[in-house]
Amino acid sequence: MTDAECIVVGAGLAGLACARTLARAGRAVIVVEAASHAGGRVATDDVDGFRVDRGFQVYNDAYPEGRRHLDLAALHLGRFEPGALVARAGRLHRVADPWRRPVPALAAVAAGHVGLADAVRTARLRAAAIAAARDGRGDPDAAAAPDERTTREELVRRGFSPGFVAGFFRPLFGGVFLERALDTAAPVFLFDFAMFSLGNACLPRGGMAAIPAQLAAGLPASALLLARPVRRVEPGRVECADGTTLVAPHVVVATDLAAAARLVPLDVVGPWASRGLKATRLVAFATARSPLASPTLVVNADDEGPIDNLTVPSDVVAGYAPPGATLVQASVRGDWRGDAASLAADVQRQARGWFGAAVSDWRHLATVTVPRALPDESPAARRMRPGEPRVAPGLYLCGDHCGSASINGALASGRRCAEAILAG
């Protein structure tokens, strides 16, 4: 039993945002989490004194929901350089943000890495995406239109050359979306492009787990029940795996999509339950010196090799590596079908072509596999999302599968769910 007005199942970002919104409104809330820590998929592990995030993750400091829920100063965010280093034909080429790094951006045009026509189209895209994000037309959590385009179709419609799509948009946003075909819906791409234009890709000091840790710290001490797996959920009722039952007028299922489909009653399961999920892998290495001259994201435009993108988190912010050491992380392409046993060696082999013989000294720390990293965000998949948080009297859903698959989307979904409960 419980005296809470609401039970939230799942302490990921959506569940924590929902619980905090309710608690701030004076509602008694309990969060039940199967793991021994809050955060869900936004997690960081200690490996040999290094902090290794579970999969390639960054935080964008322009996210509107982050500004609503988080104390960004307390996260001590370190920022990546605007733009990226693009690996093409085995060589690295800088593509800079012309609004914040005009000199290297003009140099890229002069060197022929970015065509003038594509540079002009990028400026127009930036202006349109920012305007839509600011006036609400570019909300990726809004209901999907029947004629929604993919990112690839949107870029073709805007006239970008195939070479620029393949050499810039595909490697950069392929890593963000965990798919290189650019099948992700255009509204998601346009919102993300606006956020990258307005803000910075960041990492919190000590790892991405700092974000859910801050959210959890904002709840009453007795509100978070960890290491408490749930077996079944019904309207107003939560059955835990240890045989206990929790009862409250409102129950929120804030787990990932697969767990939500398993926990809720069959008559509540809708098309959302069959939405596809994308996996990712991350390979972490320890080394004495960074292979990069600045905190820059490296993205791979070539179809050869396993690397999707490569980062050096310890260049970006403190707390990822012990003093005098460097952490290198490579995110692996979703379509890579090489031998898992040789994955770390294959990553090093490809990186050696970019950075030279020093890569041979990298020490493999860990390979992290995230089988359910993101829900499919193709137009067809987005039309499968639940229309509203309330799926039955007293039973609600929230999570990135209910909105857009990002930190901003998860936080927004949790907030909207709480607001639906508060509205009665």
Side-chain angles (χ1 to χ4, degrees):
M1 300 294 290
T2 176
D3 294 327
E5 296 174 68
C6 181
I7 302 167
V8 178
V9 179
L13 296 187
L16 292 170
C18 179
R20 277 172 55 104
T21 304
L22 291 169
R24 286 175 172 173
R27 302 297 179 92
V29 60
I30 287 177
V31 182
V32 185
E33 169 57 46
S36 60
H37 62 274
R41 284 162 285 160
V42 181
T44 308
D45 297 316
D46 286 301
V47 182
D48 254 2
F50 294 82
R51 299 284 287 167
V52 178
D53 292 326
R54 293 190 192 169
F56 170 65
Q57 301 183 51
V58 295
Y59 176 79
N60 191 299
D61 59 5
Y63 280 154
E65 290 294 327
R67 296 175 182 272
R68 185 192 298 264
H69 292 278
L70 298 169
D71 179 352
L72 297 184
L75 291 174
H76 304 285
L77 297 171
R79 292 167 174 82
F80 285 88
E81 276 286 312
L85 281 172
V86 179
R88 188 165 52 245
R91 299 184 63 184
L92 298 177
H93 308 278
R94 182 171 295 279
V95 177
D97 183 334
W99 288 266
R100 286 178 281 189
R101 299 291 187 271
V103 173
L106 289 172
V109 173
H113 302 317
V114 179
L116 182 59
D118 284 316
V120 171
R121 294 184 187 103
T122 301
R124 291 173 179 164
L125 172 65
R126 181 183 187 274
I130 290 174
R134 284 176 169 166
D135 67 18
R137 290 179 294 112
D139 182 4
D141 298 314
D147 58 349
E148 198 169 69
R149 287 185 289 270
T150 66
T151 298
R152 183 180 61 259
E153 291 167 342
E154 181 72 16
L155 294 172
V156 170
R157 187 185 74 84
R158 291 178 178 270
F160 285 98
S161 69
F164 191 60
V165 172
F168 177 70
F169 288 112
R170 181 172 171 257
L172 180 59
F173 285 91
V176 173
F177 300 150
L178 302 183
E179 55 93 5
R180 287 194 153 211
L182 298 182
D183 288 330
T184 295
V188 177
F189 160 71
L190 293 170
F191 178 81
D192 284 353
F193 194 84
M195 293 300 102
F196 280 119
S197 299
L198 293 169
N200 301 274
C202 304
L203 293 173
R205 186 167 66 191
M208 291 293 290
I211 294 174
Q214 186 185 103
L215 292 171
L219 292 171
S222 60
L224 188 57
L225 305 181
L226 298 174
R228 196 80 172 270
V230 169
R231 181 169 56 206
R232 178 177 169 79
V233 168
E234 297 177 355
R237 179 185 177 91
V238 174
E239 296 179 11
C240 299
D242 62 7
T244 60
T245 298
L246 303 175
V247 177
H250 307 286
V251 172
V252 176
V253 178
T255 65
D256 68 20
L257 187 156
R262 185 177 68 250
L263 289 173
V264 301
L266 286 175
D267 60 353
V268 173
V269 175
W272 56 268
S274 57
R275 190 173 173 186
L277 293 165
K278 294 178 283 190
T280 187
R281 286 179 290 178
L282 180 140
V283 186
F285 300 91
T287 185
R289 296 182 61 183
S290 173
L292 299 173
S294 63
T296 306
L297 174 66
V298 180
V299 298
N300 180 25
D302 294 331
D303 289 329
E304 300 300 321
I307 299 177
D308 201 356
N309 61 60
L310 182 143
T311 60
V312 184
S314 51
D315 283 354
V316 179
V317 69
Y320 270 93
T326 296
L327 174 67
V328 178
Q329 296 185 160
S331 182
V332 177
R333 285 170 39 197
D335 60 356
W336 177 250
R337 295 293 178 261
D339 186 355
S342 65
L343 179 59
D346 290 337
V347 167
Q348 283 181 274
R349 187 177 301 109
Q350 185 171 24
R352 195 178 298 116
W354 303 341
F355 305 120
V359 173
S360 299
D361 295 329
W362 292 4
R363 176 169 63 89
H364 179 222
L365 284 172
T367 296
V368 181
T369 300
V370 187
R372 299 196 297 268
L374 289 177
D376 177 9
E377 289 218 274
S378 65
R382 280 166 47 82
R383 290 192 288 270
M384 299 166 69
R385 296 177 298 172
E388 58 182 29
R390 183 178 177 270
V391 292
L395 185 59
Y396 301 78
L397 287 179
C398 67
D400 62 0
H401 60 284
C402 298
S404 56
S406 67
I407 288 175
N408 190 81
L411 293 173
S413 177
R415 173 183 58 80
R416 288 195 306 270
C417 186
E419 289 172 350
I421 294 170
L422 294 171

